[in-house]
Amino acid sequence: MPRERLIVIGGVAAGMSAASRARKRSPAMEIIVLEKGRHVSYGTCGLAYLISGQVARPDDLIVYPAEFFRTKRDIDVRLETEAVEIEPGHKTVHALARGTELLSLGYDKLVLSAGGAPAVEISGADLPGVFTCNDLAGTIRLCQFLEQEKPRRAVIVGSGYIGLEVAEAFRRRGLDVAVLERSGTVLEGVEPEIGERVEAALREQGVRLRKFANVSGIAADARGRAAAVAHDAGSEPAEIVVLSTGIVPRTALARAAGIAIGPTGAIAVDERMLTSAASIYAAGDCAETRHLVTGQPAYFPLGTTANKQGRVAGENAAGGRASFAGIVGTLVTKVFDLEFAKTGLNEVQARAAGFRPRRVTVQSHSRARYLNGKAILLTLVWDQPSGRLLGCQMLGAEGVAKRIDVAAMALHARLHIPEMLHLDLSYAPPFGPVWEAILVAANEAMKQQG
Ligand SMILES: Cc1cc2nc3c(=O)[nH]c(=O)nc-3n(C[C@H](O)[C@H](O)[C@H](O)COP(=O)(O)OP(=O)(O)OC[C@H]3O[C@@H](n4cnc5c(N)ncnc54)[C@H](O)[C@@H]3O)c2cc1C
């Protein structure tokens, strides 16, 4: 009897999690991973550290090479093989290997994990000297350009967390850095008082931030290379440009196959990661999820979600019954010497979602002040009528990244402010003040509740 066959399209976070989980669940299943690039299973989240030099070699980002999956996990990883069409009616995937060889592969189960693509709809985006920091191959090219051309002036388009990570990496390499942001704030969704401090930190680090600078195009020099970025308020000279203007889910294959796309523009899935097509699952940056605070479909492309969704898709594709309920929108990043973290909704998003939000901001410390505790700025958003916690943001030089997880947990548990007042959180002077920042904020919120 032929082995049941699982095909996975895309071999990074979601794809390799799905393939590995399916193999654990089913030793007998045939598993094929189609990856159009040359690498699988690498840490995309570490790409900016390759640019800064904190990660010495591209290979250091690779978790397991393709050969490991072939020999140790019996997973047939096919590099430089792009899926070009899915025929759900015939349970067949058509793929192009190394750009020439056309393959038609039947499947019993299929996992779509093709990720997201950088949004680069800017004229001049294809000029030499213009890059994205979205995958390993592209970031290796960017690093080679830095080594060979030794550019001095960099322009980063977009001030999301990836743009700011690249800004830091460039400053570490001694480049002059300008960041162009079309809106009035860095780190989309940040609360105003936290955003202001992030902007101050950027200025202190020598980054020129231009807000309300909607980019209209990239101009070339006489040699045809990127030389300036034109925007609403003028033009910024550049010898290297990095576009970090967001991620759009790769849905072309799914759309062409008639698979339903959700309201966010990503592939619609249920809790089992099943799409609208029988036997086809989707996971990671190509798929949407549910926001557990709003209850609505959401697109929140992060590695932490991609790994979990991939695992659930792989488990179910191999006959299991796993589910992924959704996310609360937790993100943490480093902006030079500061840690920024958020979870849930900010005040504006909460209002847009139909809540009647209130917000408090408190200042606390990472540990006892007499042990040189560093300031932590924390905002808490809750729903006034019900008292339900809706979101939390934090900024500080230390102790922020993991503190946010308490708030994320509280959102998952749908806690209300009164239930948070006396949470039994850990305390000893080297690790925090006796009143944890989130407890101080909950107390303040309680006072405002009356
Ligand atoms: C610089 C940077 C920093 C980040 N930092 C963090 C962080 O700190 N924390 C966090 O949680 N997340 C972070 N992320 C986000 C995280 O890396 C992504 O959410 C995650 O990589 C998504 O995994 P994925 O498997 O869904 O998609 P991807 O990693 O995009 O992989 C999809 C793969 O599918 C392949 N593919 C596409 N189409 C086809 C096709 N037709 N046929 C075959 N193969 C195909 C692509 O070549 C690609 O290799 C970061 C991302 C970047 C770029």
Side-chain angles (χ1 to χ4, degrees):
M1 211 173 87
R3 294 202 287 168
E4 199 184 20
R5 181 187 278 172
L6 165 66
I7 295 184
V8 177
I9 298 177
V12 189
M16 294 321 297
S17 293
S20 297
R21 191 66 199 174
R23 168 57 70 236
K24 269 224 167 90
R25 164 101 203 168
S26 166
M29 196 172 211
E30 182 185 6
I31 303 175
I32 300 174
V33 176
L34 308 178
E35 168 52 56
K36 73 175 177 178
R38 290 184 177 180
H39 309 98
V40 290
S41 183
Y42 61 85
T44 316
C45 309
L47 291 176
Y49 307 102
L50 191 60
I51 298 175
S52 68
Q54 289 160 281
V55 172
R57 299 168 309 134
D59 278 1
D60 294 341
L61 288 177
I62 292 175
V63 184
Y64 294 117
E67 201 47 30
F68 169 88
F69 290 100
R70 293 186 194 117
T71 56
K72 302 283 186 211
R73 295 200 179 155
D74 185 23
I75 295 172
D76 179 2
V77 175
R78 304 196 188 179
L79 299 178
E80 296 181 83
T81 304
E82 180 175 4
V84 290
E85 190 190 350
I86 302 163
E87 282 190 87
H90 294 105
K91 286 196 148 187
T92 300
V93 173
H94 302 285
L96 200 57
R98 288 165 299 280
T100 51
E101 191 190 341
L102 204 55
L103 309 169
S104 292
L105 300 162
Y107 64 81
D108 297 291
K109 300 285 166 54
L110 181 64
V111 174
L112 302 177
S113 46
V120 289
E121 277 158 21
I122 292 174
S123 80
D126 52 352
L127 287 171
V130 182
F131 298 91
T132 58
C133 174
N134 191 58
D135 62 12
L136 187 54
T139 308
I140 291 172
R141 284 195 296 276
L142 188 161
C143 290
Q144 286 166 346
F145 185 89
L146 288 173
E147 290 299 326
Q148 289 159 11
E149 305 296 330
K150 308 227 175 325
R152 283 163 298 114
R153 282 187 297 202
V155 172
I156 294 162
V157 183
S159 71
Y161 79 97
I162 294 176
L164 297 190
E165 283 183 8
V166 175
E168 179 176 348
F170 280 171
R171 288 299 292 146
R172 276 178 176 265
R173 292 184 71 125
L175 275 76
D176 174 82
V177 178
V179 174
L180 303 178
E181 167 55 52
R182 71 176 167 193
S183 77
T185 173
V186 293
L187 292 170
E188 190 191 0
V190 74
E191 297 287 12
E193 52 275 65
I194 289 184
E196 279 164 24
R197 296 217 186 165
V198 172
E199 288 176 26
L202 291 174
R203 281 194 295 275
E204 278 162 26
Q205 297 289 344
V207 174
R208 281 176 294 116
L209 172 68
R210 299 224 186 290
K211 297 192 285 184
F212 302 109
N214 201 8
V215 168
S216 49
I218 304 165
D221 62 13
R223 293 179 300 166
R225 300 190 341 178
V229 183
H231 56 89
D232 292 350
S235 173
E236 200 66 47
E239 289 155 18
I240 181 168
V241 179
V242 177
L243 301 177
S244 53
T245 42
I247 296 290
V248 284
R250 286 199 184 98
T251 55
L253 278 176
R255 280 177 199 273
I259 294 169
I261 304 300
T264 67
I267 301 170
V269 285
D270 67 9
E271 285 199 355
R272 304 187 64 224
M273 308 314 299
L274 196 59
T275 68
S276 63
S279 306
I280 302 183
Y281 299 83
D285 285 7
C286 64
E288 62 182 28
T289 185
R290 184 162 297 278
H291 200 297
L292 297 176
V293 179
T294 64
Q296 298 300 313
Y299 183 61
F300 208 78
L302 280 180
T304 171
T305 306
N307 276 288
K308 291 167 196 146
Q309 289 186 328
R311 175 187 276 237
V312 167
E315 173 82 18
N316 292 335
R321 283 210 65 83
S323 62
F324 179 74
I327 54 131
V328 293
T330 311
L331 178 143
V332 60
T333 190
K334 196 171 137 319
V335 186
F336 291 91
D337 298 331
L338 291 176
E339 298 172 10
F340 167 68
K342 67 172 180 176
T343 189
L345 308 176
N346 69 15
E347 193 177 357
V348 173
Q349 291 162 342
R351 190 162 292 115
F355 295 104
R356 280 176 47 204
R358 297 287 304 266
R359 176 161 63 99
V360 287
T361 302
V362 300
Q363 178 98 40
S364 181
H365 287 88
S366 57
R367 47 203 148 99
R369 264 186 273 194
Y370 51 80
L371 287 180
N372 201 19
K374 304 280 190 299
I376 292 179
L377 189 66
L378 181 149
T379 67
L380 208 62
V381 176
W382 75 99
D383 181 44
Q384 171 83 27
S386 65
R388 181 182 165 197
L389 178 70
L390 299 177
C392 179
Q393 296 192 2
M394 294 188 203
L395 185 77
E398 65 173 22
V400 160
K402 287 292 138 190
R403 270 190 170 84
I404 199 71
D405 290 343
V406 170
M409 189 78 177
L411 288 171
H412 268 275
R414 297 173 76 95
L415 290 193
H416 293 66
I417 295 294
E419 296 166 309
M420 294 174 62
L421 289 178
H422 298 131
L423 286 176
D424 185 13
L425 305 181
S426 62
Y427 163 66
F431 308 111
V434 68
W435 282 96
E436 262 298 316
I438 197 159
L439 300 183
V440 176
N443 259 305
E444 281 304 311
M446 200 62 199
K447 283 184 210 159
Q448 292 194 21
Q449 280 290 84

